[in-house]
């Protein structure tokens, strides 16, 4: 019976209407040309140059993530880790860069909400190419917390 | 008079657990969005999911939150399936 294939079709239809417009078509095209993308190139984050230059088909310039830059060379030093964590925070568009310090609390000092905090932790994952579990993520509420965790994950001294 | 839902910073244990579940669900959505295509598709999906979460941000009724979480998980599974299919 045709009913067996029906749910899949419905599913796509629901999604495309939920996401709107031609999202599915463009997505299908881009997934074929998929490559890992650093969050540094995510639109939401401040950057010097535009992520894409207005053309949906071309991919814009990409900033290599720390994982890509450092994987084959020397290990990250603690100072570099600190700088990198702070710069990820400063790029977050809801945060005033001048307020970012190692000790600033994401929610109390930087004015984020709990969903923003989730997004920041995801950005750390992208930037440093590591996986952070739900339990670990819940404890990251300042740059210092992130550095302490990433130190052990990335074996930084 | 029923219990009043104030925006008090004190959460009951149940509320705390539900809040945690909601944040985990949001994280799962963001994880899935990594496979959603390029930076543009990813941002588009993030904005949509974020909008949905923000819309219900102040919901305190436990039943409603449970329902929303169930719908959210369903929606996450639908998206996962769709992304698998386009691969």
């Amino acid at each position: 019976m045709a009913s067996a294939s029906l749910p899949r079709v419905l599913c796509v239809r629901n999604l495309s209407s939920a996401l709107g417009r031609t999202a599915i078509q463009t997505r299908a095209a881009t997934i074929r040309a998929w490559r890992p993308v650093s969050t540094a190139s995510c639109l939401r984050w401040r950057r010097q140059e535009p992520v894409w230059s207005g053309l949906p088909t071309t991919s814009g310039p990409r900033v290599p993530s720390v994982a890509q830059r450092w994987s084959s060379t020397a290990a990250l030093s603690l100072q570099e880790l600190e700088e990198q964590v702070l710069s990820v925070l400063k790029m977050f568009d809801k945060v005033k860069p001048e307020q970012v310090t190692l000790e600033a609390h994401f929610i109390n000092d930087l004015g984020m909400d709990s969903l923003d905090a989730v997004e920041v932790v995801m950005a750390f994952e992208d930037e440093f190419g590591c996986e952070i579990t739900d339990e670990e993520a819940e404890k990251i509420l300042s740059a210092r917390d992130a550095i302490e965790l990433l130190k052990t994950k990335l074996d930084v001294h | 008079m029923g219990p009043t839902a104030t925006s008090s910073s004190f959460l009951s244990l149940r509320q705390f657990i539900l809040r945690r579940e909601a944040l985990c669900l949001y994280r799962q959505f963001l994880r899935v969005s990594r496979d959603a295509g390029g930076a543009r598709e990813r941002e588009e999906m993030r904005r949509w999911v974020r909008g949905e979460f923000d819309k219900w941000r102040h919901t305190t009724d436990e039943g409603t939150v449970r329902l929303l979480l169930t719908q959210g998980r369903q929606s996450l599974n639908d998206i996962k399936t769709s992304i698998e299919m386009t691969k």
Side-chain angles (χ1 to χ4, degrees), chain B residues 22-74:
Chain B
L23 292 176
C24 284
L25 183 63
Y26 187 57
R27 193 172 295 118
Q28 285 175 285
F29 268 108
L30 293 184
R31 285 229 157 87
V32 167
S33 79
R34 285 178 175 156
D35 298 327
R40 183 185 184 165
E41 287 75 17
R42 190 175 168 179
E43 171 60 12
E44 189 185 355
M45 178 168 162
R46 187 202 64 78
R47 205 176 299 161
W48 169 62
V49 175
R50 177 73 194 225
E52 290 297 308
F53 274 80
D54 280 338
K55 196 154 76 184
W56 302 100
R57 163 179 295 272
H58 299 292
T59 311
T60 50
D61 179 64
E62 224 181 280
T64 314
V65 175
R66 272 181 211 287
L67 182 69
L68 289 167
L69 283 171
T70 308
Q71 285 173 351
R73 289 189 189 108
Q74 179 62 49

Side-chain angles (χ1 to χ4, degrees), chain A residues 1 12 14-15 22 41 73 81 91-92 106 124 130-131:
Chain A
M1 292 272 282
V12 170
N14 286 344
L15 179 66
T22 56
S41 64
T73 54
L81 173 67
M91 281 197 293
F92 194 55
F106 290 168
F124 289 142
C130 62
E131 182 114 344

Side-chain angles (χ1 to χ4, degrees), chain A residues 12-88:
Chain A
V12 170
R13 193 169 294 157
N14 286 344
L15 179 66
S16 63
S17 61
L19 285 179
R21 304 158 312 273
T22 56
I24 286 300
Q25 287 97 306
T26 48
R27 183 156 303 133
T30 43
I31 279 170
R32 255 172 261 127
W34 187 87
R35 71 275 183 277
V37 176
S38 152
T39 325
S41 64
C42 183
L43 278 187
R44 182 127 194 267
W45 303 73
R46 278 194 208 100
R47 310 188 18 155
Q48 286 77 12
E49 67 251 45
V51 172
W52 52 38
S53 38
L55 298 167
T57 46
T58 55
S59 53
R62 290 202 298 132
V63 175
S65 70
V66 165
Q68 290 165 319
R69 258 177 283 149
W70 294 91
S71 54
S72 58
T73 54
L76 207 62
S77 74
L78 182 57
Q79 195 195 345
E80 286 158 343
L81 173 67
E82 287 181 357
E83 282 167 12
Q84 206 63 38
V85 164
L86 291 180
S87 83
V88 168

